[in-house]
Amino acid sequence: MKSISLLALVSLCSAALPVAGAPVVVRGGSVTLTATDGTFTVTSGRAAVKANLWRIQLQSGRMLQSAGARSTVERIGRNDVRLRFESPDALVRVRARGTAAGVDLTTEVSRIKETALEVSAPAALRFSTSGLKRVLFPSFLGVALKAPFFAPHTEPSSWSPVKPVGPEGLRRVAGITIKSDTSSGTSPVTVTDPGKLTLGTGLAARWAAHRVTANRLPEQTPQIELLHAGGGAFLGGHRVENGWLYRFGGLVSEEDSPLVIDTLERLAVALAENSTVRPLAGGARRALVLISVRRGPVTGSWSAVNIASLQSRLAASSALAGAGVKLRVAQSIVQVRAALTDPTVMAVVNPYGEWFASDRADGLSILDALHTYLARGGTVLNTGGYSFYVPMIADMRASLTENYPSRGFSDYTRIETAGGALDCYGVQDAHDSTHIFVPARWEAGSDDLGGHVERIWRTFVAGGQVWSTPATRFTAAPEAGTALRAYALANGLDHPLSAKMSPVLLAKWKRAIHIKSNTPSAADDMLLVARAPAESTIHIAHYMRGGFDHQIPDLLPPNPNYGTAEEFRAVIDAAHARGDLFMPYTNHTWWNDNPKGPTYAGQGNEALLLDLDGQPKHERYGPDSSGWSVSPYHPATIAAADRIQAQFTTEYPSDILFQDQNGARGLEYDTNPASPVPYAYNQGWINTATRASSKMPVATEDGFDHLLNAESEFCGLGQNLPIVGDHPEMHLSNRLRDPDWEFFPIAQYVAHDKAFFMLHDLEVGVTDHTRLAWALALGYQLSTAINHNQLSDPKWLDWVAELDRVQKALGPFFMGAPLRSFRYLRGSGEHGVMEAVYGEMRVVANVSGAPYQDGATTIPADSFHAVAPGVNMLF
C-alpha cells in the first residue's frame, strides 16, 4: 500500500544539528522517531505522524515555539538524545528516549522570561487523511472519530465567533451606542409601570427582588423602558423606524437566566396582544422566530441562557399559543435571512448575547438585513451584553476539544490507518508520591493540510523557574485494547476492586441496582426501602443540614424538614436489615454562603481557592444555592472532608461514600498558600479520595482515570451519549454527524475491571429500553430515581423490579469484569448495534431502530441480548 504522506503544522527553524540537516533517529519497541531540522516524525510500519517539537503558551497571550530557536543535539545513549533550543525568551530541552515500550518525549523549560500556562510537547500531530480509518479520542468515556470527521462538510459542524465588528454592530442595526461604564458589580432592579403591565405581577415582583450586572446600558434613552438598573435601561425597547429592538443591557448570568427566559416568553405574548410594547404592531404578524443554528453554541457570549431550554419553553408555551403566536426555529443562516424578509414574522429572538449568526466574517450584510427588518416593522429581542458585537460563522470542518480532567476520562489517543496504528499518551505514575498530577487538553480537527490531534500539558511555570513535563509516549500496539491496558499499567492504575472492599461487599454491589431517592423526608425514604427491590444500593441526598446544596461542608445533623437524626439512622438500619447498601450523597469541594455553615462561618475565607489574580472563585448552582471554591490543600478543607467521612462511618454507618464533584472538577489555578503549585488542584482532590478510600469504598461524579486507585465507582460520563436525555445539547449527535463518529469505550478498557460505572447519580437513570440497552453496552450498573409519587405508581415499581431482575442476573458477570472486546455490528454514531464482551458476558445492544439478527436470536429495536454462564437473556 502507498505510504501516508504528512505535512507539518508550522515549519520550524533550520536548526543546527550535528551535521546540518542530518536526521536524529531514536527507536523504541516498534516505533521510530526521526528528528530533522526541528521537526520530528514518528513511524510504525507505514503509519506515521509529524509535528513540531514544542510550543509554549504564555499567560500574556504570547506563544513561543521551536520555529526560530537555535538547536543543538546531545546524544545520551544509542536510543536516547536531548535536543536543546535556545531563544531570548526561554531555554527548552526535549529528550527523546527509546525503551521496550516505545519512545518517550519529555520537555524541560527553563530561563523563561514570562509565566507559561501551557506546554505542547510535541505540538499538533499531523497525519494524512488518505488511508485513515479512525482516531480514538478521549471525550468522556471515549469516541472514535472516523475519516469523514476530518474531511470538509457540506453543512456546519460548529459555529465560532470571529473578529468583532465592535460597537459598529449595534450602531448599524439600531443607531445605539453603549455607556462606557463597565462595572462588574450588581445593582437592584426597578420595574417600571410599562414593565409591570407587560410582565405581570409575579414576574415583576421577582425582578424587583433581583440584582443584575447592568454594565452594557444604552446611551440613548429607549422609547419604552421595562427594567431599570445601574442608572439606565436594563431592558428597554428602542424604536428603529417602524420596528423595535428590545435588549438586556448587561451580563445575563446563570442566575439571571430563568428570569430572562420567562421575560422573553412574556414579552413575545405582549408583542402579539399589547400595543404598549409595540405601538406600531401590525395584526398580521404572528410568527416568532428563535435563532438556534444547528450545532451552534449551547449559550451565547455574556448570555448564560441555555438555548435548548429557551426553545423548549417557547415551544410549550400555552400563553404564546393562546395569543396565536407560532414558534419557528431558524437553524441556518438561510433560514435567518428568510425570517428577516417574511412579513408574517412578528419578532426574531437572538439568544446569543454579543454574538450573532452571519454568513460572512465581517458580519455587515446580516447586520444590514437586521436593520431593514426592523425598519419595515419587525421586532428583535436580544439577550445580554453588547448586542451585535461579534459575528459567529459556520465552521464547515468538525472539531472536538476535551479537557483531562474534566470530562475526558483518559489521557490517550490512537491514530489508525490502512498502514498501521500509532498510540500517543501521557505517562504519570500514580504510585509516585512526589509527583503532582499535571492536567492536559486534547484537540482534534483538520484543515487543508490534513488531520491533526494535539495534546497540551496545562501547567504553571513562573519566570525563572525550571519545569519538566511528564513523558508523552509513542507506541504501536496491535489493537486498541492492548494499548489501553498498557497505558493503565504505565500510569500505575492497577488497584483492583478486591483491594478496595471486602469480598462480601463486592459480591453484593455487583447484584444491586442503584436507587436515587428524590423523596423529601425520612418517612418517604422508609417507604422507599420497604417497596424497592431488596439488596439495592440506596442513595439519599435530601437529608442535608441546610437542604440540598446548602451549608456545605456541614452536612449533619439532618435537616429538620427531612427528619431527626434517629429517623435518618432508622432508614439506614432498615436498609441494612434487608441487605441493601447505603450510599449517602456528600460534597466537600465548595462552601456555601447563603447561609454559611458553621465551618465556613468559623473558619473565614482562608480556605478559599485563589485564582491567578489572587481572587476567590464564586460558584452558583441555582437561584438560592451559591458559595465559593475551596483549596483542597488547606487544613480546614482537609479536616472538613475527613469529618464527613468519619460521620458516615460511625454516626450514620454507610457502605459507600459518594463524594460529589470530587472527580468532576477540571483544572482551577489555585494560588492559596496551602497549594504546593498553582496547577495542583486536581492532585488535591485525588489525595482527598485516597484518604477516604482507606476507610471505606468511595464513588464520585464523573471522574478521570488518575482517581482509579481510590475510586470504586464513577457516576456519570455518559452525558455525550443518548443514554442521558437531560442534556441533549451535550450529545455528540447534536455536535457531529453520524458518519463522523461512534462510541469507543476507552474508559472501559482502562478501568472496568478496577471500578464500577453508572449514570450520573442525580439523573433519572435507566428509564426505558433504549437506555437499558446502552447501559449494558457500556457495562454500567443499572440505576433509577424514585420520587414521592412514584412510590405509589405500580407501573414505575414494576419497571424498577425489571431493572433489578436484569442487574441480579447479569451484574455478577459484567460488573467489575474486564472489557475484552467491543465493536459495532451495524451502524455508527448513536444509531447502531454494539457488541461488548465483559468478562464472561457477551451483550449485543440494538439501538439501530430496526431488528437485528444475532445468530438464531432476533433482537428487536431498543433491546439487548446477553449471554453469560447459565444466563441467556433477551430484553
Side-chain angles (χ1 to χ4, degrees), residues 171-442:
R171 188 204 63 76
R172 198 175 185 109
V173 171
I176 298 171
T177 54
I178 298 299
K179 294 180 180 180
S180 59
D181 178 24
T182 58
S183 170
S184 60
T186 61
S187 305
V189 176
T190 299
V191 184
T192 67
D193 289 340
K196 294 174 183 176
L197 179 64
T198 301
L199 302 180
T201 304
L203 183 54
R206 288 166 58 199
W207 273 115
H210 195 66
R211 296 180 68 89
V212 296
T213 305
N215 55 359
R216 292 293 183 267
L217 299 174
E219 289 273 8
Q220 295 78 12
T221 301
Q223 281 73 24
I224 301 173
E225 184 178 15
L226 303 180
L227 302 176
H228 186 91
F234 184 69
L235 174 58
H238 299 262
R239 183 172 169 180
V240 183
E241 298 187 33
N242 293 318
W244 294 84
L245 168 66
Y246 280 86
R247 60 179 297 275
F248 289 86
L251 173 70
V252 171
S253 68
E254 190 171 344
E255 182 180 7
D256 303 329
S257 179
L259 281 168
V260 172
I261 289 177
D262 290 351
T263 300
L264 290 172
E265 177 194 21
R266 184 60 212 148
L267 189 53
V269 172
L271 288 170
E273 62 185 20
N274 188 335
S275 62
T276 300
V277 295
R278 196 165 176 262
L280 300 178
R285 294 178 181 266
R286 280 297 183 272
L288 176 67
V289 175
L290 172 66
I291 301 175
S292 177
V293 291
R294 181 160 171 74
R295 299 195 176 96
V298 175
T299 62
S301 171
W302 281 58
S303 174
V305 172
N306 183 286
I307 295 163
S309 298
L310 174 60
Q311 179 176 333
S312 297
R313 176 61 172 274
L314 297 177
S317 172
S318 58
L320 283 173
V325 176
K326 294 184 178 180
L327 177 69
R328 302 179 194 168
V329 179
Q331 294 186 301
S332 68
I333 197 65
V334 172
Q335 291 176 346
V336 171
R337 285 192 175 277
L340 297 179
T341 58
D342 187 340
T344 69
V345 173
M346 174 189 72
V348 173
V349 182
N350 175 37
Y352 295 106
E354 297 196 328
W355 296 338
F356 61 94
S358 176
D359 43 9
R360 289 174 46 183
D362 64 13
L364 300 182
S365 175
I366 198 71
L367 292 175
D368 289 342
L370 282 161
H371 173 79
T372 301
Y373 165 73
L374 290 170
R376 291 175 177 173
T379 301
V380 173
L381 312 179
N382 202 84
T383 55
Y386 206 129
S387 310
F388 313 115
Y389 203 85
V390 183
M392 183 176 69
I393 64 172
D395 188 345
M396 306 306 287
R397 289 184 178 272
S399 62
L400 203 57
T401 298
E402 213 64 76
N403 290 322
Y404 166 76
S406 143
R407 303 179 181 246
F409 186 81
S410 291
D411 186 14
Y412 169 90
T413 198
R414 177 179 172 90
I415 300 167
E416 296 183 355
T417 76
L422 281 166
D423 304 280
C424 176
Y425 51 81
V427 178
Q428 304 186 67
D429 187 357
H431 295 297
D432 183 354
S433 60
T434 66
H435 177 69
I436 295 175
F437 174 81
V438 185
R441 184 173 71 252
W442 284 91

Side-chain angles (χ1 to χ4, degrees), residues 488-845:
L489 185 63
N491 279 277
L493 309 175
D494 54 11
H495 285 197
L497 281 160
S498 59
K500 303 173 188 176
M501 66 192 75
S502 70
V504 173
L505 177 55
L506 181 59
K508 290 177 69 174
W509 200 344
K510 289 182 178 182
R511 290 170 44 82
I513 61 168
H514 178 102
I515 300 177
K516 162 65 167 54
S517 168
N518 283 335
T519 68
S521 69
D524 274 337
D525 281 339
M526 189 66 84
L527 188 60
L528 183 157
V529 168
R531 293 185 178 177
E535 299 180 340
S536 298
T537 299
I538 306 297
H539 182 54
I540 296 177
H542 291 288
Y543 71 89
M544 295 168 67
R545 175 193 186 113
F548 186 74
D549 271 356
H550 287 79
Q551 297 195 28
I552 294 171
D554 300 296
L555 311 183
L556 293 164
N559 188 299
N561 291 329
Y562 175 80
T564 65
E566 291 73 21
E567 288 172 321
F568 189 26
R569 276 192 291 268
V571 171
I572 299 171
D573 291 343
H576 284 151
R578 51 172 231 151
D580 293 332
L581 302 176
F582 178 64
M583 176 195 285
Y585 172 98
T586 72
N587 197 329
H588 51 259
T589 61
W590 64 300
W591 291 4
N592 286 114
D593 61 2
N594 64 329
K596 297 178 180 179
T599 296
Y600 190 5
Q603 179 65 38
N605 293 335
E606 289 186 2
L608 300 189
L609 174 146
L610 301 176
D611 64 18
L612 293 180
D613 294 323
Q615 298 300 310
K617 181 190 175 188
H618 197 245
E619 302 185 19
R620 183 174 295 278
Y621 296 99
D624 63 345
S625 178
S626 65
W628 301 89
S629 307
V630 291
S631 172
Y633 287 93
H634 193 276
T637 304
I638 294 171
D642 291 351
R643 182 177 67 252
I644 292 169
Q645 185 272 321
Q647 288 173 320
F648 282 108
T649 303
T650 55
E651 297 178 58
Y652 303 89
S654 307
D655 302 284
I656 307 142
L657 187 70
F658 180 81
Q659 298 178 310
D660 195 29
Q661 296 188 304
N662 196 85
R665 291 182 174 268
L667 170 64
E668 296 286 351
Y669 285 109
D670 181 14
T671 61
N672 186 301
S675 180
V677 292
Y679 64 83
Y681 183 71
N682 296 112
Q683 181 66 55
W685 297 129
I686 293 172
N687 297 346
T688 300
T690 300
R691 288 195 311 274
S693 70
S694 67
K695 304 292 196 321
M696 64 193 305
V698 293
T700 190
E701 177 189 19
D702 289 342
F704 60 105
D705 55 19
H706 266 72
L707 283 162
L708 192 52
N709 288 350
E711 299 290 349
S712 292
E713 185 163 57
F714 298 100
C715 304
L717 291 164
Q719 291 94 320
N720 64 341
L721 299 172
I723 189 172
V724 176
D726 296 347
H727 302 285
E729 72 277 2
M730 298 176 69
H731 293 180
L732 279 173
S733 60
N734 290 326
R735 299 159 61 192
L736 302 175
R737 307 172 309 170
D738 267 9
D740 292 345
W741 71 283
E742 61 190 24
F743 167 70
F744 185 86
I746 291 176
Q748 282 84 345
Y749 272 115
V750 170
H752 201 268
D753 58 333
K754 307 172 190 72
F756 299 137
F757 288 82
M758 60 163 263
L759 287 174
H760 196 289
D761 77 296
L762 298 181
E763 301 284 359
V764 294
V766 179
T767 56
D768 53 40
H769 288 84
T770 303
R771 289 189 181 191
L772 177 57
W774 268 102
L776 289 175
L778 302 181
Y780 272 29
Q781 179 189 20
L782 303 185
S783 61
T784 189
I786 295 181
N787 61 35
H788 173 82
N789 293 328
Q790 289 167 332
L791 285 172
S792 302
D793 183 346
K795 289 184 178 180
W796 187 254
L797 293 176
D798 286 346
W799 172 251
V800 175
E802 287 297 315
L803 293 181
D804 181 66
R805 180 174 70 87
V806 175
Q807 180 71 39
K808 284 182 169 49
L810 298 176
F813 297 103
F814 77 85
M815 291 275 286
L819 175 61
R820 302 196 183 281
S821 66
F822 179 92
R823 60 176 176 160
Y824 272 74
L825 301 177
R826 184 173 74 194
S828 187
E830 67 176 35
H831 306 292
V833 179
M834 297 170 281
E835 178 197 64
V837 179
Y838 292 97
E840 297 180 285
M841 184 191 80
R842 174 183 179 266
V843 61
V844 177

